[in-house]
Amino acid sequence: MLWKNDAAIRNHWFPVVEQFFGTLPPPLFETGVLLKNNLAIRFSDSGEFRDILLRRHDLPLLRLPGWLLDDRGVPESPARTRFL
């Protein structure tokens, strides 16, 4: 089951994740590609890295930052929005 906002969170953050992997230095780039492929195979029904942790039985790990900020009582603000 997709939890509330999981698709929005994914759409917001995956370009940042892809950029990170794309800017790895040459010695780490190949390892990064292998990591992405392994994660996609293990944690995605589609086999695509972009779809990891979106299976019906996956815990809503994409929501953890928001829950942690809520638990700590961090008010809504532009600074908080950077993390969500």
Side-chain angles (χ1 to χ4, degrees), residues 18 21 29-44 46-50 52:
E18 290 288 352
F21 278 103
F29 184 79
E30 184 177 333
T31 302
V33 170
L34 291 172
L35 174 62
K36 285 174 42 176
N37 290 341
N38 287 336
L39 289 171
I41 290 167
R42 176 67 176 96
F43 296 106
S44 166
S46 70
E48 295 291 325
F49 179 65
R50 184 173 191 78
I52 64 171

Side-chain angles (χ1 to χ4, degrees), residues 9-24 32 35-36 39 49-50 52 62:
I9 292 168
R10 180 192 61 194
N11 292 336
H12 174 76
W13 285 109
F14 260 85
V16 175
V17 172
E18 290 288 352
Q19 180 183 11
F20 169 78
F21 278 103
T23 58
L24 288 172
L35 174 62
K36 285 174 42 176
L39 289 171
F49 179 65
R50 184 173 191 78
I52 64 171
L62 299 175

Side-chain angles (χ1 to χ4, degrees), residues 47-65:
E48 295 291 325
F49 179 65
R50 184 173 191 78
D51 295 333
I52 64 171
L53 301 176
L54 292 179
R55 298 170 299 182
R56 293 184 61 80
H57 60 279
D58 285 330
L59 295 174
L61 296 176
L62 299 175
R63 296 298 302 148
L64 285 178

